[in-house]
Every structure is written in C-alpha cells, then in structure tokens.
Amino acid sequence: MDLSYSEKDEAFRAEVRAFLAEKLPKELSEKVRLSQDLEKSDMEFWHAQLNARGWLAANWPKSFGGAEWSAVERNIFEEECAMADAPRIVPFGLSMLAPVLQKFGSKAQQDHWLPRILNGDDWWCQGYSEPGAGSDLASLKTRAVLEGDHYIVNGQKTWTTLGQHANMIFCLVRTDTTAKAQEGISFLLIDMNTPGIEVRPITLIDGGAEVNEVWFTDVKVPVENLVGEENKGWTYAKYLLTHERTNIAGVGSSRAGLAAVKRIAKKVQARGRPLIENPHFAARMAQVEIDLMAMATTNLRIVSKAAAGQAPGVESSLLKIKGTQIRQEITDLARRAVGPHAMPFASDALDASNTPLPDPYDAGEVAGPYFNNRKLAIFGGSNEIQREIYSKHMMRGAK
Ligand SMILES: Cc1cc2nc3c(=O)[nH]c(=O)nc-3n(C[C@H](O)[C@H](O)[C@H](O)COP(=O)(O)OP(=O)(O)OC[C@H]3O[C@@H](n4cnc5c(N)ncnc54)[C@H](O)[C@@H]3O)c2cc1C
C-alpha cells in the first residue's frame, strides 16, 4: 500500500500524527471508531481545532486563508486523520461552496462568507435535489422571482444532508421558466432562519435521520445573495459537483476501514482458524486492497491537478464510482466477518449514551454503516449517471 514519500513528506506525517495525538480527544475518536452518531458540537469542535492549526482548508488557495497543500500532503493528512478515527470534516461550506465562491462569487461575497466558513460561523447545507429532480437535476422547479431587491422563493428541496443543523443553504432555483432547462437556473445563498422555511426529517434505512426535506413558502432572499449571474447557475452547479465527487472518493477512510476489517478477521474464528486465513475471505480482502491501491494513485493524480489550480474534470466521476464501490465492499466484508454479531442492529445502538450491545470482536456498529453506505452509490450523482458521464467523455476522446 506504500507510495514512496520523501523525507519532507514523512516529517509532515509526523507533524500530523503529533497534532492528532494532542488535539483529538479519545472519547471523540472512540465514537468515530465505533460508528456512533456524532453531535453537532463534536463536528464543530473538530472544525475549530483544525482551523486553529491552519489545517482546515487544505484545498483553498493561500490568498483566501487556505493551506494550499500539495496533493501528497493532502493525501497524508486524510490518511492519518482516518487512521486516528478523527471526525469527517463537514464538506458543504468548506469543500463545496467555497470553491464556487472563490471562482464565481463577488469580492463582497468572498470577503463575507469565506472567513465565516473557516470560523465555523455558518453551517451550510446543499439544496440541489428535489422530488422530481435528482439525476435529471436540470428539471428542478423551486422558483425564485425577483421583486425589487429580493427574490421570492417557493418550492421544495429534498435529501438535504445535515440540514437540521444548518443556518445557511446554497440552492439551485429556477429564475427563467421560458429558457432551456439548464439556462433558467440560478445559484442562491439562503438564510435558513428566514420566515417560510420548514425542515422535515427523513429516516434512512439505518434508522438515522441525517437527511431532510426543506420547504420554501414565499421566502425573501436579498438579491446580493445571488452568486454570479442570474440564469448562469448551472455552470456553477456543475463546477461544485466535480469537487463534491472528488471528495467522496474517501481513500483515507477506506484504508482505515480495511485495517479495521483485517483486525476483526484476525479475531474471528471460522472452522477453527482465523477468518483472515479463509481463502475466499482473503481473496476478497486482497481484491479490495488492490483496487484501493489503484484508486489511491488515480486520486493523487487528480488531486494534484486540483492543487495546481485546475478544476477536477470528468475524472472525478471515475473516482466517485471506484471510491464508493470500495467503501461499500469494505462495509460488506466487516458485516460478513462479524456474522450474527452484526444482527442486533438498532438505531439506538448508534447513540453513544445507550448501553453497548455485545461486541466480542470490538468491531463497533457494523450493520449501521453497511446500510448507511448504500447511499454512496446514489448521492453526489448516482454511479449509473457517473458511468454515462465518463463513457460519453471516452467516446468523444476516441473520435
Ligand atoms: C443519503 C443521501 C444524501 C443526499 N444528500 C443530498 C444533499 O445534501 N443535497 C442534495 O441536493 N441532494 C442530496 N442527495 C440527493 C442525491 O444527489 C440524489 O438522490 C441523486 O442525484 C439521485 O437522484 P434521485 O434520488 O432523484 O434518483 P433518480 O434520479 O430518480 O434515479 C433513480 C435510479 O435510476 C437511475 N437512473 C436515473 N437516470 C438514469 C439514466 N439516465 N441512466 C441510467 N440510470 C439512470 C439512477 O442511477 C437511480 O439508480 C442525497 C441522497 C441520498 C440518498
């Protein structure tokens, strides 16, 4: 699994490890290791720790207060954080909206919103999908009509991840109903505390409620919250999605997940031998490890392009497909390894304050992450759609 790292890279890795040893509390990393639900305050705490160290915005240019790390540094950081069971950095403001504001936002928007993202003053969520607009996102219907110096927004967004915590939402809205679908969309920043907004939770297959419906009834949005030009939102939306898909690859968390499965498979006995020695199980482990090595290299190539200032292109679809397949396979291996001990799944088990369920292999919650990770092939644009995007690109290239 080793890529070659220079002495300078290894020194950086040591620095990251020392930081994690000092700043990541054991109770928090245990919650992450055991796949228990994190509180909003847990995520805010970790965000603040990274910001204080100047390590929050790895992908931002220095001119905006970012770390502007090389691809290798980002890779090392992600890997070490995952192996130490650090909480995931909530991506909506930091890795999704921020690149859009940096490229298309006005100076006033950059000056106002970007420092707030770093400080954790706002919790952003993503208002793209609607009940009738998922894969076919351009058919979205949430309407924004300009009246004086405000847009009046009506409609419904859905699948809004962590919207229950958010005070801000970036939304795609329809501002022209007569133009071609893609040409009548605008990108608006909306304060979730504006009258007329209602957030309703959706319960997922793992029993958790991390996604929501967001309803808008005559919501007034100041015109200065329009990003870029009216009716040009589709361009900004697509730019954001390439960043979202690249982030989903999750090389570090797959490495941590695979290491955990190995640990469990050494403890589990199957027919008198450790499961890790079972040829069928070992072959699946080896296959996923090889896939992960290949993807890690592709990821480095694509991230270094992004670090050099280019937007990740169609390759982000490739990363999204491979990265999510690998993550799903790892949760499936964990589920199979613990066998019946994955069964007493109850959403209550995800709550750290409840009495723990029997866990002879110290595997933590296994069925929950297995079910939860089914989402990976759907969100950020389903894997079927990513295959279409990538194959169209390949066909064009082959001409
Ligand atoms: C857990 C979770 C969290 C999410 N978080 C957010 C969020 O925070 N913000 C947000 O805006 N959205 C979010 N989404 C929405 C997500 O982006 C959409 O679910 C996704 O784009 C698919 O859209 P859909 O659900 O409407 O399915 P549909 O578009 O109805 O697709 C249904 C099925 O048909 C397949 N399909 C559709 N069209 C084609 C085609 N042309 N060719 C081949 N197959 C096709 C799809 O692959 C899928 O399997 C989230 C979704 C989930 C599950």
Side-chain angles (χ1 to χ4, degrees):
M1 179 73 41
D2 271 358
L3 300 158
S4 299
Y5 292 108
S6 68
E7 262 179 45
K8 188 168 154 273
D9 295 332
E10 289 303 348
F12 176 67
R13 186 188 296 280
E15 216 185 321
V16 175
R17 280 191 186 160
F19 168 80
L20 289 164
E22 189 192 346
K23 299 290 180 189
L24 179 62
K26 186 76 187 146
E27 316 82 73
L28 185 51
S29 63
E30 270 302 278
K31 275 191 187 177
V32 174
R33 184 178 77 81
L34 299 173
S35 301
Q36 288 167 337
D37 283 340
L38 297 187
E39 306 286 333
K40 183 182 186 188
S41 56
D42 291 329
M43 295 181 257
E44 287 177 332
F45 167 82
W46 192 235
H47 182 108
Q49 295 300 311
L50 292 173
N51 189 37
R53 183 67 177 79
W55 284 357
L56 182 64
N59 57 334
W60 290 21
K62 285 201 170 115
S63 54
F64 288 115
E68 211 177 300
W69 279 340
S70 70
V72 174
E73 284 169 326
R74 285 163 68 169
N75 202 58
I76 290 172
F77 182 73
E78 196 203 333
E79 190 171 286
E80 291 302 322
C81 286
M83 294 306 284
D85 296 310
R88 179 179 87 108
I89 304 172
V90 181
F92 300 105
L94 201 68
S95 324
M96 288 160 65
L97 176 63
V100 171
L101 291 179
Q102 288 164 5
K103 190 166 168 72
F104 303 106
S106 66
K107 173 89 173 58
Q109 286 170 339
Q110 291 171 351
D111 289 347
H112 180 72
W113 295 113
L114 294 174
R116 293 179 63 85
I117 290 175
L118 286 180
N119 287 337
D121 295 333
D122 298 311
W123 187 298
W124 286 91
C125 62
Q126 179 186 27
Y128 273 29
S129 306
E130 297 180 5
S135 302
D136 183 14
L137 185 59
S139 66
L140 62 93
K141 291 197 167 51
T142 295
R143 187 84 170 96
V145 179
L146 188 58
E147 285 184 11
D149 54 3
H150 282 81
Y151 286 99
I152 306 297
V153 178
N154 280 284
Q156 186 205 341
K157 295 292 171 183
T158 193
W159 302 119
T160 317
T161 302
L162 301 181
Q164 72 271 32
H165 297 323
N167 68 313
M168 291 298 298
I169 181 167
F170 53 86
C171 266
L172 296 180
V173 293
R174 185 154 302 286
T175 34
D176 185 344
T177 50
T178 59
K180 238 179 81 184
Q182 286 83 348
E183 288 163 13
I185 293 171
S186 299
F187 194 108
L188 276 189
L189 311 177
I190 304 180
D191 184 337
M192 297 279 281
N193 295 314
T194 319
I197 297 186
E198 192 192 340
V199 178
R200 299 181 194 163
I202 302 173
T203 304
L204 290 183
I205 191 173
D206 67 351
E210 67 187 30
V211 294
N212 304 271
E213 297 175 339
V214 182
W215 294 75
F216 300 85
T217 310
D218 292 332
V219 174
K220 277 180 86 176
V221 182
V223 73
E224 60 264 25
N225 284 16
L226 173 74
V227 174
E229 289 177 53
E230 196 180 74
N231 298 325
K232 292 279 191 294
W234 190 245
T235 306
Y236 320 143
K238 284 194 299 183
Y239 181 78
L240 182 147
L241 281 172
T242 60
H243 286 270
E244 179 177 0
R245 285 172 194 146
T246 313
N247 290 325
I248 294 174
V251 176
S253 75
S254 285
R255 284 192 174 142
L258 191 59
V261 175
K262 278 187 188 168
R263 256 194 327 268
I264 297 166
K266 280 181 189 160
K267 287 186 191 160
V268 175
Q269 290 290 308
R271 296 172 200 251
R273 289 165 63 187
L275 179 63
I276 200 154
E277 292 172 17
N278 173 291
H280 178 63
F281 197 84
R284 277 185 70 180
M285 296 257 294
Q287 186 58 58
V288 76
E289 188 156 8
I290 292 164
D291 287 349
L292 181 53
M293 282 169 76
M295 193 194 58
T297 311
T298 309
N299 188 50
L300 264 184
R301 229 179 34 232
I302 295 170
V303 174
S304 54
K305 232 171 113 178
Q310 298 172 40
V314 70
E315 304 92 334
S316 63
S317 298
L318 191 70
L319 275 186
K320 203 255 160 178
I321 298 167
K322 270 327 269 186
T324 56
Q325 283 174 336
I326 289 169
R327 286 167 74 184
Q328 289 187 335
E329 171 70 353
I330 290 169
T331 53
D332 191 34
L333 282 169
R335 182 179 65 86
R336 283 175 183 269
V338 302
H341 292 283
M343 283 306 288
F345 167 70
S347 56
D348 287 357
L350 298 173
D351 182 342
S353 59
N354 285 340
T355 316
L357 294 166
D359 184 10
Y361 309 119
D362 194 27
E365 180 54 43
V366 172
Y370 169 79
F371 285 124
N372 188 275
N373 273 4
R374 301 303 98 193
K375 73 187 178 191
L376 298 176
I378 303 171
F379 71 19
S382 76
N383 284 11
E384 288 79 18
I385 297 295
Q386 300 318 307
R387 285 191 191 93
E388 270 187 30
I389 293 174
Y390 200 76
S391 57
K392 272 188 198 151
H393 171 79
M394 294 299 284
M395 303 284 185
R396 258 187 246 125
K399 271 188 202 163

